[in-house]
Amino acid sequence: LALAIWLGLGLAWWLEEVAARLTKGVAVLGLAACVISLGVATVRHLPGVDASRDRRAEAFARTVFNQAPQGAMIFTNSDTDTFPLWYFHFAEGARPDVVIVVKGLLSFDWYRQELQSTYGPLVLPEEWTLGWKVNIGARNARPVCETLPDSTQVLVC
């Protein structure tokens, strides 16, 4: 942060010195060159940051929902798998029979309360031990699945 402030102050001083020595025409040409340079860089890099044609999240969510058994409790591990499922589940109304649970948020009381409010009574363990999938499935009478977003098999039940 200190380096950024120092660089900004140095650049401001340098610009004042240069502007004081330049004629108005040269200053206008310099400004035009900067604007054109920024425009060219924007046009050149825009396709690389345009995500409007990226359908990976949609394909992931559709695959998970197509593979999930009726009434499944789907556990996610990261933003990569959570947000597409949340969008299609809540915004698009896809698969209202499933329950989406983010494992990383289960340690928070507010999240467990939100799950109860959203999906009704769920029995969730306080600690994640070996065999947690079997325990949760038995306690909730639901098939338990886990997403694998970085794998060719995106859902394991």
Side-chain angles (χ1 to χ4, degrees), residues 2-24:
L3 179 63
I5 293 170
W6 178 79
L7 287 173
L9 291 172
L11 181 61
W13 172 82
W14 183 78
L15 288 173
E16 284 179 14
E17 291 296 316
V18 169
R21 294 192 173 115
L22 293 178
T23 64
K24 189 174 185 176

Side-chain angles (χ1 to χ4, degrees), residues 68-74 95 97-99 140-144:
Q70 185 70 25
M73 185 178 285
I74 302 171
R95 293 297 303 266
D97 61 301
V98 302
V99 174
N140 292 285
R142 289 178 173 269
V144 176

Side-chain angles (χ1 to χ4, degrees), residues 60 64 67-69 72-78 81 85 99 101 103 128 132-133 143-149 151 153-157:
F60 172 79
V64 167
Q67 292 179 5
M73 185 178 285
I74 302 171
F75 285 83
T76 63
N77 296 295
S78 66
D81 50 349
L85 295 180
V99 174
V101 181
K103 284 191 333 188
W128 298 98
W132 63 268
K133 286 183 189 179
V144 176
C145 304
E146 187 172 7
T147 57
L148 303 170
S151 173
Q153 181 182 6
V154 297
L155 190 68
V156 174
C157 296

Side-chain angles (χ1 to χ4, degrees), residues 65 83-95 100:
F65 285 150
F83 289 120
L85 295 180
W86 273 351
Y87 173 78
F88 283 99
H89 183 64
F90 293 115
E92 299 287 331
R95 293 297 303 266
I100 299 169

